[in-house]
């Protein structure tokens, strides 16, 4: 645990300098497989929800929604296994710890439940 969390009990606050903080954060997000899976699922859901406003996107949206369920299922399973095995970091999430994998599994499961529950509204069959 960082000492700065206990300021002022354990001494003065020490400032750190991060070189390339913004670029590193962007690269961490772009290089995470989970971010790309959630992007595909979110795009499909957004296109399906807005199908009345945009013509010609309903088939693409339905395909993305149909693909998002198995992708989110695999993501939930793999992230749950990564949590159970206490894997410190992997291609799923850059810089993630075991508790992050458990949160990823829960969010993926909630996404699956949401898509399955509103499948008729999303017109995904």
């Amino acid at each position: 645990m960082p000492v700065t969390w206990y300021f002022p009990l354990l001494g003065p606050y020490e400032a750190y300098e991060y070189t390339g903080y913004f670029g590193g954060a962007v690269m961490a997000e772009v290089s995470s497989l989970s971010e790309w899976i959630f992007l595909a699922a979110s795009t499909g859901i957004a296109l399906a929800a807005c199908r009345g406003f945009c013509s010609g996107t309903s088939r693409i949206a339905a395909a993305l929604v149909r693909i998002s369920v198995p992708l989110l299922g695999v993501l939930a399973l793999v992230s749950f296994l990564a949590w159970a095995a206490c894997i410190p970091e992997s291609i799923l999430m850059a810089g993630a710890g075991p508790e992050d994998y458990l949160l990823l599994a829960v969010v993926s499961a909630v996404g699956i439940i949401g898509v399955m529950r509103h499948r008729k509204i999303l017109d995904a069959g």
Side-chain angles (χ1 to χ4, degrees):
M1 233 179 233
V3 176
T4 54
W5 285 9
Y6 297 111
F7 172 77
L9 300 176
L10 295 179
Y13 184 79
E14 297 177 21
Y16 298 103
E17 185 172 328
Y18 297 101
T19 306
Y21 176 76
F22 184 74
V26 169
M27 287 308 295
E29 293 296 322
V30 170
S31 65
S32 295
L33 181 61
S34 61
E35 297 294 332
W36 289 100
I37 291 173
F38 279 121
L39 176 69
S42 300
T43 302
I45 291 169
L47 286 175
C50 298
R51 69 181 176 271
F53 302 111
C54 306
S55 60
T57 60
S58 62
R59 290 193 321 181
I60 296 169
L64 282 173
V65 170
R66 272 189 238 112
I67 290 171
S68 69
V69 172
L71 280 177
L72 288 173
V74 168
L75 182 64
L77 180 66
V78 170
S79 58
F80 184 75
L81 291 175
W83 170 74
C86 294
I87 295 175
E89 187 172 342
S90 72
I91 193 170
L92 284 177
M93 291 174 64
E99 64 278 352
D100 297 322
Y101 290 121
L102 182 60
L103 180 64
L104 180 62
V106 169
V107 170
S108 299
V110 168
I112 292 169
I113 292 168
V115 170
M116 295 301 288
R117 187 167 187 193
H118 300 289
R119 197 172 199 118
K120 297 237 188 287
I121 296 171
L122 294 173
D123 198 25

